[in-house]
Amino acid sequence: MTKKSIALGIFMITLGLSASAQRLLSLSDCMQIAEENALTLKQARITIENAEIGLREAKMARLPRVNGSVGAGLQFGRTIDPTTNDFGTSEIGYNSVSLSGGMSLFNGGFINSSIRQGKYDLEAAKLNGQDIYNNLGLTLSTIFLQAMLAEDQLANARRQVRATEEQYEQSKKLADAGVIPVNDLLDIEAQLALNQQNVFVAEGNVEVSMLTLVQLLELDASEEIRLVRPEVELPTTDPMSFSMEELYQTALGSQPSIKANDFRLKSAEERITQARSSGLPQLSLFGGLSSNWSSLGVSVAGFSDTQVPIEIVDGNGQSFNFFIPQQVPIFEDQLYLDQLNQNFGQNVGVSLSVPIFNGLSTKYNVQRARLGAKNQKLVNNQQRQQLKTDVQSALIQARTSKLAYYAAEKSMNAARTAYENSEKRFALGTINTLELNTSRNLKDRAEIDLLNAKYQYIFNMKVLDFYMGKGLTLD
């Protein structure tokens, strides 16, 4: 095996490894990656989860509230025995336990309003997440198309270099034979250098577009990717057939951001109901269990017999003593659980709170809530007006880009025909290399303009699809 064959084999293996290291990505692949990695979508999921928690919390407000407490301590000096309520000066250790609960029976509709508001906030959060996803898809489609355009421009620039190299080789032979002047060969050499420069610029544009795509997908900047290019055809839908008003009405019904703001308005209106509820009577049910223990607590363990002396004085002043039998209780420290059981108490009741005067806070809260609802209405109207402006602009741009594409196509066909004629005339010697190069530059410029017009037309039609609520694909 020759050294040349070995070197070629090593080059092919290296090229294969480099290609295998590249990550192939279609537009749908990019959307899946963005859905997992995009920070804006992660934030939207957190917002949705937070809204779900808020709704669950609002629903739980209907249930009773139950709380328990335990306390223990040591009392000194003149204190009250918590088990007997008698005053004493002994050192007393004590322990108390209680369980209390309450339930709102009527609170001016605050709980029901909070639940409705929680549902509206959750729907708004979900729609906002969908809007972020749709806008991310539109951005990805734009960058993906830009990357495809950059690759096509690079391929076109390389074709121009190859064509100029072939012309240079032919012209060099003619110049060596004295058929054409050396200056013509220098003109072609200058044109070749310019075309090679265009290749370098196009390669840089491809790298920049790929880097932009990688950054948007939150991938490692060092990771090399290659696009899975779909067969992008010209739009079959004629933008001239669209009605501005019909397109706007379709956008109103399909754009999640519009629906999200409608739910935000409903949420703001619920705040008015909640503000009013603070000025209405509040009826609640309550109940509790309690007990306590004291270190002074005792119980009767038994009785002992004793004689109690009684002294009686008669009318002569003579005293007589006699004894009365009596049982005296024997005390012992009462057991902890026995004392808790003995001191166990319960309570249940209904509480009614009627606001009379609270510094007009309810009135001001209602006014603030109404202003919040009015402001949300203005936001909704402003967004609808902005959507109408965007839809009108998108439709105008789509119509303009269609006309621009077909004009660029005619210009390219004319420039290509002119260049073919120039080649024939150059072969006959009726024009020089400068004129030939001028004709080629016009053709090359027309091809680039046609590429730009094609991708601009495709993108503008995708924007119309976006406003019509269609999925963003390039297939």
Side-chain angles (χ1 to χ4, degrees):
M1 182 180 291
T2 63
K3 293 182 178 179
K4 184 176 181 180
S5 299
I6 294 174
L8 180 61
I10 294 174
F11 173 76
M12 294 302 295
I13 293 173
T14 304
L15 183 62
L17 291 175
S18 175
S20 63
Q22 290 180 334
R23 185 173 182 179
L24 301 178
L25 293 178
S26 65
L27 180 59
S28 60
D29 295 332
C30 292
M31 281 304 301
Q32 291 178 359
I33 295 172
E35 190 172 359
E36 296 174 359
N37 297 345
L39 298 180
T40 53
L41 285 178
K42 290 180 179 179
Q43 291 173 335
R45 294 190 192 102
I46 292 175
T47 303
I48 293 173
E49 187 175 353
N50 186 57
E52 289 174 344
I53 294 173
L55 177 58
R56 289 197 296 269
E57 182 182 18
K59 290 179 177 180
M60 289 297 104
R62 286 175 170 170
L63 301 180
R65 296 290 187 266
V66 180
N67 297 286
S69 66
V70 178
L74 195 64
Q75 297 181 173
F76 304 92
R78 183 173 175 80
T79 59
I80 297 177
D81 186 340
T83 59
T84 64
N85 288 326
D86 293 333
F87 284 98
T89 57
S90 302
E91 181 181 289
I92 303 175
Y94 66 91
N95 173 219
S96 62
V97 293
S98 66
L99 184 67
S100 62
M103 181 177 180
S104 177
L105 301 179
F106 177 77
N107 58 2
F110 182 88
I111 294 178
N112 291 334
S113 176
S114 297
I115 293 174
R116 290 193 298 268
Q117 184 185 35
K119 292 179 179 179
Y120 297 147
D121 290 341
L122 178 58
E123 289 300 321
K126 290 179 178 178
L127 288 167
N128 184 66
Q130 183 62 44
D131 184 58
I132 292 174
Y133 178 82
N134 291 348
N135 285 304
L136 181 62
L138 183 61
T139 303
L140 271 176
S141 299
T142 304
I143 296 176
F144 202 91
L145 282 171
Q146 289 175 348
M148 291 176 58
L149 173 60
E151 290 181 342
D152 287 347
Q153 289 176 338
L154 176 59
N156 185 62
R158 287 171 174 169
R159 284 195 300 270
Q160 293 173 8
V161 168
R162 289 194 295 269
T164 308
E165 287 176 341
E166 292 175 359
Q167 183 185 1
Y168 177 79
E169 293 298 330
Q170 295 174 357
S171 300
K172 188 173 185 304
K173 294 177 182 179
L174 295 176
D176 291 342
V179 177
I180 61 173
V182 177
N183 285 341
D184 288 354
L185 182 62
L186 294 176
D187 290 338
I188 298 175
E189 187 175 355
Q191 182 64 42
L192 178 59
L194 178 61
N195 290 346
Q196 290 172 340
Q197 180 183 357
N198 292 335
V199 169
F200 298 146
V201 173
E203 288 175 342
N205 292 336
V206 170
E207 291 182 4
V208 170
S209 61
M210 290 299 182
L211 179 60
T212 303
L213 184 59
V214 167
Q215 291 174 341
L216 182 62
L217 297 177
E218 299 292 336
L219 297 175
D220 189 349
S222 62
E223 184 172 3
E224 295 185 8
I225 63 173
R226 186 158 62 91
L227 303 182
V228 179
R229 297 172 58 93
E231 292 295 331
V232 180
E233 302 293 339
L234 288 176
T236 57
T237 306
D238 186 3
M240 304 298 180
S241 64
F242 287 132
S243 165
M244 190 81 73
E245 184 61 27
E246 290 179 358
L247 184 60
Y248 171 62
Q249 293 300 326
T250 302
L252 280 177
S254 65
Q255 292 302 297
S257 59
I258 299 297
K259 297 178 182 179
N261 273 346
D262 289 340
F263 280 111
R264 292 189 183 102
L265 176 58
K266 292 181 178 180
S267 175
E269 290 171 344
E270 289 299 331
R271 292 191 184 95
I272 301 176
T273 302
Q274 295 166 20
R276 286 173 178 164
S277 67
S278 63
L280 298 177
Q282 311 286 318
L283 181 64
S284 59
L285 176 68
F286 65 88
L289 306 173
S290 64
S291 186
N292 52 57
W293 169 88
S294 172
S295 60
L296 297 182
V298 293
S299 62
V300 178
F303 295 89
S304 64
D305 296 329
T306 184
Q307 298 291 325
V308 178
I310 301 297
E311 181 181 4
I312 300 176
V313 179
D314 61 12
N316 299 320
Q318 186 176 359
S319 64
F320 300 93
N321 292 325
F322 64 94
F323 295 86
I324 299 176
Q326 185 176 355
Q327 288 185 325
V328 179
I330 301 173
F331 295 98
E332 64 179 5
D333 291 340
Q334 190 176 23
L335 295 178
Y336 179 78
L337 293 179
D338 291 343
Q339 193 172 157
L340 290 182
N341 182 58
Q342 179 180 337
N343 297 327
F344 181 60
Q346 309 89 39
N347 70 88
V348 64
V350 177
S351 173
L352 177 64
S353 174
V354 180
I356 297 176
F357 181 77
N358 53 12
L360 300 180
S361 61
T362 299
K363 175 182 177 181
Y364 298 141
N365 288 336
V366 171
Q367 290 177 348
R368 276 192 290 265
R370 284 175 177 170
L371 290 175
K374 288 182 180 179
N375 183 68
Q376 187 61 51
K377 286 182 181 179
L378 293 176
V379 171
N380 291 9
N381 292 335
Q382 184 180 16
Q383 188 168 24
R384 280 173 164 77
Q385 292 175 359
Q386 183 61 48
L387 178 64
K388 189 171 187 177
T389 301
D390 294 341
V391 168
Q392 291 174 342
S393 177
L395 183 56
I396 292 173
Q397 290 175 359
R399 291 172 175 174
T400 303
S401 62
K402 176 188 176 180
L403 298 176
Y405 170 76
Y406 286 110
E409 186 179 40
K410 290 181 181 179
S411 177
M412 190 274 295
N413 291 333
R416 183 174 293 173
T417 301
Y419 175 65
E420 291 173 354
N421 292 334
S422 296
E423 283 186 314
K424 294 176 182 178
R425 294 173 62 192
F426 179 75
L428 296 175
T430 58
I431 62 173
N432 56 27
T433 55
L434 178 60
E435 293 172 310
L436 179 64
N437 288 337
T438 301
S439 180
R440 179 192 290 110
N441 289 337
L442 292 174
K443 175 188 72 70
D444 295 343
R445 183 70 259 171
E447 290 176 347
I448 293 175
D449 290 342
L450 181 62
L451 272 177
N452 291 334
K454 175 185 176 181
Y455 280 96
Q456 188 64 48
Y457 182 27
I458 293 172
F459 171 72
N460 287 339
M461 291 303 296
K462 291 300 177 183
V463 173
L464 292 186
D465 289 343
F466 172 79
Y467 286 121
M468 289 188 291
K470 298 181 179 180
L472 292 170
T473 63
L474 298 179
D475 299 330

